[in-house]
Structures are given as structure tokens and as C-alpha cells.
Amino acid sequence: MRLGDTAIQMDWTVPIAKSRMSAPDSANGQEAEARMTTLADADDRTLVAAFQTGDRVAFDVIVVRHRRPVYQICYRFVNNHEDASDLAQDVFVRAFKGLIRFKGDASLATWLYRVAVNTCLNRVAAKKPVTTPLEVAAQVDGHAVSPLDELLRHERADEVRAAIEQLPPKQKATLLLRVYQECSHEEIATALGSSVGAVKANFFHALKNLKRTLERS
Amino acid sequence: MTDHLRPEEFVDALDDAAPAGAHEHLAACAECRAQFDELRDMMRASAHVEVPSPSPLFWDHFSERVRQATITLPTRAPWWESVWRPAAVFAAAASAVALVAILKPGAVAPITSPDPRATDAVAMAKVELPDDGSWGLVVAIASGYEYRDIKEATEPVSGTADAMIDDLTPAQRTALARLLEKEIGDQ
């Protein structure tokens, strides 16, 4: 699976036009909806090119296409929905400002991940990370009938989540991009602005530190 | 076995991308194999940590929030942004050309240490200084001599000191020795 594929497949199930429903001007809104429909099948490169010529709707399509993985990266950094949605919004605002200079050296997804990781690292550096309360985590799958092994699995997942939260920022970013976004080491190196060797070393030490933390807990 | 796998090799092995030698080592080295199993377990455990899915309505709200946050932002870079790069390149090129012109041989007199043979007394006479009379006299005298003449007149001749000591009386020599001892002792 390649970068962002999951997000694209999952998010295209949401009708794009819905996100434009609250457009202030109905004529402009209809025009934008029509434009979004036109651009819906366009690849990222086409969308970026359209945006760089001043097409705002192209950016709306980019947001729809990439909002889920960007949100997930943010969530894994802060472990709560409120901060994650604020961070994800911040990521797209930064992307809007920076996309005009995007040269296409990396894929748009990798570039967005880089923006996301940098935004999260800045936030984490400025603010103590919030730990997800156990009861909130339990609510997530509360509707499901949980057998004992499922409960144990969730408990274990909570422990691992807490251990991931304690990782140094670079190791954490590397682990998140590798395990959850399934980025290649080269893509992570591009996203984090480091070498492939450094990414592999960070990933190795992230797993070692996880093991150490879980043994202590 | 001491030549264990390096961190990058472990990661390559986790990706099943390690060279054959690494796999052979893992098969033979219990220590590395145990470490590899730990890393693989941690990777699997991490993969089970899921992000709770937000409400389906969240995504539309989110897109709208982003749209509202960016609605006042320009989609094009400011005009100066397209100008400053070429301007900077031009300025750098102009600076380089100016530097080359300045450093070109002949553009500026080279700064060299004065050769005592070249700086003869006549050249010294061309130095303009406030004339208080005495300097004029020095210049007038020196301008009549060549560098070689002055060198011969002022340079100590080898053996001169020995000849002078030979000419001294025993009492003078004793007095000189006492003076030298005093000078050396003071230092």
C-alpha cells in the first residue's frame, strides 16, 4: 500500500459537494460544487497545478482527500480529538500558505505529512502532551460486545499508546509514519528532512524504547 | 559471535529487505534473533493502537473550518516573492563582477613588503612630511648616496669587536669584564 491510499479510498465515500454546502453565496457555491466535481478525479499534481494558478476549489479537494491521514497523524501526537482537529486545521492552513511554492519533488502526501509532523513537533515542544483518559479510550469501541481477550487487547493498546507518547519526538514521528501511514524509509526521510540511515536508526531506537517502557509499566 | 547486526540491518530485516548475510546471521546468532523478535513484537503491538474515528459529520465541519481559515489568504505569492530571487541572483552576480574588477592585476597596486635593496635613499626622499628643517637636511645628505654606500657605512664588519678588544689594555679589559658582569647580573 502506498502513501495516503487508505485516506483517498476512505474519504471519497463522503460526497465532496457536502463540504461546500455552507458557501455564503449560492451562485458561487454551485459553481464551486461543480468545480469540485470536475476536480474530484484529478490527481494530486493536477490539483496542485490548479491551486497554483489561483483555483481555491482545488485546495478544497486536496483537503477532502488528505484530511483523514493528516488528522490521524495529529491525533497520534496529542491523543485527543480537540487538539488533533485544531492541529490538523493548522496543518492545512500552513499547507495553503506553502503550496504555492511546492515544486513537486516529493508527493503531495509526503509534503503534507512533513507539514503535519513539523506542526505537531512544534506544538508538542510548546505544550505538554495530553494523555488520553482511560474512560475516553474505552468509549471508542464501547458499542461492541467485548470478550475478555478483546478487553485485554484494548488494555494492551492503551499501554502501548502511553509508551509511544513518551518517545522522543523524532522517534515518535518516525514510528507513526512507518507503522500507521506505512511510509517508506525514504518518504519518512523526506518528510522529516533527515537521511534514510537516521530514519532507520530512529525506528530501531523507537521500538527498543517502547519495549523498555512497557517492561517498566 | 561478536559481529552482530547493526540497527539499520535490524530494520531492513523487519521489512524483509535485509541482504542474505543478515538473514544467515539471524539464523545463527541467538542474541540477534532474540532482539529481532522483540522488535517485531513491538512493531506488531504498535500497529494495534488505533485512532478513534471521529463522527462522520466531523469531516464536513473540518473542511468548512479549513475553508473559513484560508478564505482571506491569497492563493498567489506576493509580487515581490517572484522578484526577489532574480534580484538576489543579479545582486550576487554584480557583486562578484565588482570583486573581480577590484582584484584584477593592475587595478590596485599590490601590497608587498618593501625590499631594502629597492628602497634606496632617493626613493625615501620623495616622502612628503612637514619640513622642520632637520628632515630636509637628512634628505639632502641621504639623496647623495646609493643604498650600497649606506649599507657599507652602517653594516658591522665581521671581527671588528674582536679587534677592538685586542686593542684594550689589561686594566680596560678588567673594567669591561666588570661592566659586562654587572649588566648580565642585572638581567
Side-chain angles (χ1 to χ4, degrees), chain A residues 11-67:
Chain A
D11 248 11
W12 284 120
T13 59
V14 179
I16 292 169
K18 273 188 181 177
S19 63
R20 304 290 303 188
M21 283 176 72
S22 57
D25 184 283
S26 61
N28 286 346
Q30 284 175 359
E31 200 177 302
E33 282 175 27
R35 180 74 181 135
M36 282 191 88
T37 309
T38 308
L39 289 172
D41 294 329
D43 60 16
D44 283 348
R45 196 178 293 270
T46 307
L47 291 174
V48 170
F51 175 78
Q52 288 177 338
T53 56
D55 189 346
R56 283 176 175 272
V57 180
F59 190 78
D60 290 347
V61 179
I62 288 171
V63 173
V64 171
R65 193 171 290 182
H66 294 282
R67 61 193 177 189

Side-chain angles (χ1 to χ4, degrees), chain A residues 74-81 130-133 161-162 165 172:
Chain A
C74 296
Y75 188 95
R76 290 189 190 280
F77 264 94
V78 292
N79 273 330
N80 74 85
H81 172 71
V130 181
T131 311
T132 311
R161 183 183 289 117
E165 205 166 318
K172 190 175 179 179

